[in-house]
Amino acid sequence: MSNVFEFVAERRERSGKGAAKAVRRQGLVPAVVYGGHVNPALLSLSHNEVLKHLVHEAVYSHVLDLKIDGKTEKVVLKGLQRHPAKPVILHMDFQRVDMQESIKVHVPIHYKGENVSVGLKAGGILIPLMSDIEVVCLPGSLPEFIEIDITNLNVGDSVHLHDLKPPAGVQFVALLHTTNDEQDLALVKIAAPTAGRTEESAAAE
């Protein structure tokens, strides 16, 4: 299987909507890579290969290898445009990274303790309020995910951003601001069961 952290691309010359449509008709994905104190470059990638890579969640929060005409650059995936009704990738944005310079990346949230959670055992419903957290760090410290332990979370309880301890070398972007609303950002809660759910549970017992 090909390396899920390596995207192979070719340079393209033409820009604009018409050029992008022409690229897609060839079974390719139009893309751009920018940053790194270098001029942006227009790219095209195999749509089938892109789809294979994107099924791996880690691709969204890893430093990737972008191989352009045989030369490899370190990048992160910064933007992805999908077709609203079809499994089609319309456009991709890559940002070059310098391993000595901090980057901002959205990292997915994972949950720990769902099978033993106090609140879920009591019939509560897990309500994710955020799917990811924006972090800032050096590329080498970029976490694959942020873990939230809900073992001791009871019905009515929630976890806020300021409750979490970031991994070493990582900062939560929202906590770099001073407003209390941003620092009090709720990430997940356990809600009380609805009446219908309670009746179903009772019937099952």
Side-chain angles (χ1 to χ4, degrees):
M1 186 179 73
S2 61
N3 182 357
V4 297
F5 299 122
E6 180 184 71
F7 287 79
V8 178
E10 294 182 356
R11 290 183 181 271
R12 58 187 176 94
E13 299 299 327
R14 296 176 56 208
S15 62
K17 293 183 178 180
K21 289 181 179 179
V23 169
R24 296 186 191 107
R25 283 196 293 268
Q26 299 175 54
L28 304 174
V29 180
V32 63
V33 59
Y34 56 86
H37 312 293
V38 182
N39 290 333
L42 298 175
L43 308 172
S44 60
L45 299 87
S46 165
H47 188 270
N48 288 340
E49 289 302 311
V50 166
L51 285 182
K52 290 178 184 178
H53 290 345
L54 294 182
V55 298
H56 300 274
E57 183 188 53
V59 164
Y60 299 89
S61 57
H62 263 75
V63 176
L64 310 172
D65 289 334
L66 180 61
K67 193 173 184 179
I68 306 172
D69 297 334
K71 182 180 178 180
T72 300
E73 300 184 29
K74 295 294 185 182
V75 302
V76 290
L77 181 60
K78 289 295 288 185
L80 188 68
Q81 183 182 355
R82 298 178 184 268
H83 191 283
K86 302 176 182 178
V88 174
I89 306 302
L90 299 177
H91 195 274
M92 302 177 74
D93 290 353
F94 295 98
Q95 179 184 338
R96 300 183 185 96
V97 300
D98 183 327
M99 298 305 288
Q100 304 304 316
E101 295 184 4
S102 295
I103 55 174
K104 290 182 180 180
V105 179
H106 287 268
V107 175
I109 294 172
H110 284 190
Y111 298 107
K112 175 184 177 182
E114 288 185 76
N115 294 334
V116 293
S117 169
V118 174
L120 296 184
K121 281 190 170 183
I125 305 170
L126 183 68
I127 308 293
L129 302 174
M130 301 288 291
S131 61
D132 57 59
I133 300 173
E134 188 177 21
V135 306
V136 59
C137 62
L138 290 174
S141 299
L142 183 61
E144 183 175 338
F145 55 84
I146 300 295
E147 187 173 72
I148 298 180
D149 190 346
I150 62 170
T151 301
N152 297 316
L153 213 61
N154 212 330
V155 175
D157 291 344
S158 58
V159 176
H160 293 74
L161 187 60
H162 67 258
D163 296 323
L164 302 183
K165 181 180 179 181
V170 176
Q171 293 178 292
F172 297 141
V173 172
L175 296 189
L176 298 178
H177 302 286
T178 57
T179 62
N180 291 330
D181 288 343
E182 289 176 314
Q183 295 193 13
D184 203 36
L185 184 66
L187 303 173
V188 61
K189 69 178 181 180
I190 295 185
T194 62
R197 184 181 176 88
T198 303
E199 292 170 2
E200 289 175 5
S201 301
E205 291 176 2

